[in-house]
């Protein structure tokens, strides 16, 4: 089969292209069915205070439990979900589950005075962000779960924030005013200017894994990480490093003044019950420690 390429020339339509088109179409209908059948699940990855090791939040990460292919990760379906609009349905589900779960977890956490509550972070894609009822959806999910709005962190990528139209800015202002916290995801991989960082109502910057990877103990290798942490601090933002895989990286980040960390070194994403267990254990450990301090042997 020959196909016009728009420049008046013809090129051969390769069989592989046909397969790609068919399987994308297939994927779209599979995604629709998966949503109907409730095959999407939410896993959560802990976020910890680098200085104390205390878990302070968990990030919601969607999974597709496929009847034949098993557990599927977002990279295999998120972009098609995004293109076909099914991401909005998935997003609503993730939001509802995340808010309900964090409400349950908070019962195992002793809230320190002056500190924000244990939170859940939810990723928002550009298509979700464009929904006119986004703020209403978030309001509803928070209400239904009976949680404080600052128990919810919304993660938005740098690129998206910087499409920086007035509408995006208005939505971010509305969300921030409502009391949810906003995080810039994958910071350093987009094009955030200093001016935009100052203008946007963000609370947290998540330093992208690729920069965390630079931390090897050799100071010369991580000037970007250090600069990002200093910038975040200077702007009064909370800095969070993604993809922390080694104890050495965790120590070095702490030394550089980074506040929070997330990565396989601390924990992999787990089902909600895993977070509950982690929080219970942490509380027990702290109680044990308090006893040791109160009654030294
Ligand atoms: P992200 O928001 O930057 O999430 C972090 C990703 O890094 C997760 O991959 C997480 O499992 C992985 N990760 C965490 N620690 C480590 C580590 O130490 N080493 C390595 N190599 N990887 C680590 P995951 O779950 O596959 O998600 C990939 C991306 O898919 C996310 O990147 C996010 O952009 C998107 N995504 C996931 N869940 C959702 C969702 O519910 N809605 C939307 N819109 N996007 C989602
Ligand atoms: Mg994220
Ligand atoms: Mg705010
Ligand atoms: Mg990220």
């Amino acid at each position: 089969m020959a196909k016009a390429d728009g420049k008046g020339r013809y090129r051969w339509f390769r069989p592989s292209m046909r397969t790609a088109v068919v399987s994308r179409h297939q994927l779209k209908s599979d995604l629709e069915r998966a949503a109907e059948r409730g095959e999407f699940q939410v896993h959560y990855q802990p976020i910890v205070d680098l200085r104390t090791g205390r878990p302070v939040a968990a990030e919601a990460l969607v999974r597709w439990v496929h009847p034949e292919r098993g557990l599927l990760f977002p990279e295999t379906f998120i972009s098609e979900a995004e293109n076909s609009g099914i991401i909005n349905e998935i997003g609503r589900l993730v939001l509802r589950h995340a808010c309900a779960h964090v409400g349950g977890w908070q019962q195992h956490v002793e809230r320190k005075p002056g500190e924000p509550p244990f939170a859940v972070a939810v990723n928002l894609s550009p298509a979700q962000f464009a929904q006119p009822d986004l703020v209403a959806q978030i309001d509803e999910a928070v209400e239904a779960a009976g949680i404080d709005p600052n128990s919810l962190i919304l993660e938005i990528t740098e690129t998206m924030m910087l499409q920086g139209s007035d509408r995006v800015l208005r939505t971010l202002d509305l969300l921030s005013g409502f009391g949810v916290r906003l995080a810039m995801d994958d910071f350093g991989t987009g094009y955030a200017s200093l001016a935009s960082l100052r203008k946007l109502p963000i609370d947290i910057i998540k330093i992208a894994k690729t920069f965390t990877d630079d931390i090897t103990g050799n100071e010369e290798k991580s000037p970007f990480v250090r600069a990002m942490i200093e910038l975040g601090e200077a702007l009064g933002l909370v800095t969070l490093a993604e993809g922390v895989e080694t104890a050495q990286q965790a120590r070095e980040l702490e030394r550089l003044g980074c506040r929070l960390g997330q990565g396989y070194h601390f924990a992999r994403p787990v089902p909600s019950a895993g977070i509950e267990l982690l929080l219970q254990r942490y509380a027990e450990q702290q109680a044990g420690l308090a006893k040791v301090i109160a009654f030294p042997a």
Side-chain angles (χ1 to χ4, degrees):
M1 203 194 323
K3 204 171 169 287
D5 71 355
K7 296 194 196 95
R9 290 190 304 257
Y10 281 83
R11 63 192 162 80
W12 292 101
F13 186 85
R14 280 177 276 112
S16 65
M17 292 169 73
R18 191 179 166 80
T19 317
V21 171
V22 170
S23 68
R24 268 191 55 194
H25 183 78
Q26 178 72 41
L27 181 56
K28 184 181 177 218
S29 58
D30 281 359
L31 281 166
E32 276 162 358
R33 211 172 20 230
E36 279 161 24
R37 293 183 182 168
E39 289 169 8
F40 293 106
Q41 275 187 9
V42 189
H43 283 190
Y44 300 91
Q45 186 178 35
I47 294 169
V48 307
D49 182 313
L50 286 169
R51 207 164 43 78
T52 61
R54 188 163 73 99
V56 296
E59 178 175 7
L61 296 161
V62 71
R63 303 290 181 250
W64 178 4
V65 187
H66 194 281
E68 285 120 43
R69 296 163 63 200
L71 192 68
L72 299 183
F73 291 83
E75 62 172 8
T76 60
F77 63 87
I78 273 286
S79 81
E80 187 52 33
E82 176 90 25
N83 295 334
S84 59
I86 297 166
I87 191 69
N88 291 340
E89 203 170 325
I90 299 174
R92 263 192 294 273
L93 177 144
V94 173
L95 193 62
R96 268 203 317 273
H97 281 247
C99 289
H101 282 143
V102 77
W105 301 332
Q106 285 174 349
Q107 291 163 16
H108 302 283
V109 182
E110 194 192 330
R111 184 162 168 190
K112 300 249 162 78
E115 286 198 8
F118 188 88
V120 72
V122 171
N123 292 285
L124 287 184
S125 71
Q128 288 175 271
F129 207 75
Q131 300 171 100
D133 70 336
L134 178 70
V135 180
Q137 271 180 47
I138 288 161
D139 191 357
E140 260 170 48
V142 164
E143 276 292 312
I147 56 172
D148 196 327
N150 68 349
S151 309
L152 181 62
I153 298 169
L154 297 173
E155 295 194 1
I156 300 154
T157 59
E158 205 179 354
T159 330
M160 214 162 101
M161 287 205 189
L162 300 175
Q163 288 165 357
S165 62
D166 286 349
R167 197 185 50 75
V168 173
L169 193 60
R170 264 202 313 278
T171 307
L172 290 173
D173 278 336
L174 268 176
L175 290 168
S176 173
F178 175 61
V180 304
R181 287 179 266 171
L182 299 174
M184 190 180 273
D185 204 355
D186 302 332
F187 182 66
T189 60
Y191 301 94
S193 66
L194 293 180
S196 66
L197 272 181
R198 200 169 56 174
K199 193 166 68 174
L200 297 167
I202 50 169
D203 304 286
I204 302 165
I205 51 176
K206 297 192 76 170
I207 298 169
K209 180 176 185 303
T210 154
F211 297 100
T212 302
D213 289 343
D214 286 344
I215 302 173
T216 55
N218 174 351
E219 298 220 355
E220 247 95 277
K221 285 205 150 175
S222 45
F224 286 104
V225 182
R226 183 178 335 164
M228 286 177 191
I229 295 168
E230 279 168 12
L231 178 64
E233 283 295 314
L235 293 171
L237 305 175
V238 171
T239 45
L240 190 171
E242 296 189 84
V244 181
E245 293 185 341
T246 69
Q248 188 192 32
Q249 287 173 340
R251 267 196 313 273
E252 184 63 9
L253 283 160
E254 196 227 318
R255 201 184 65 79
L256 293 171
C258 186
R259 298 238 231 128
L260 307 177
Q262 176 181 359
Y264 296 167
H265 168 62
F266 304 107
R268 295 202 173 232
V270 290
S272 171
I275 299 294
E276 191 165 329
L277 205 64
L278 172 89
L279 292 173
Q280 272 168 355
R281 281 218 201 104
Y282 184 79
E284 279 163 21
Q285 200 189 9
Q286 291 305 104
L289 215 56
K291 241 188 256 165
V292 173
I293 293 166
F295 309 105

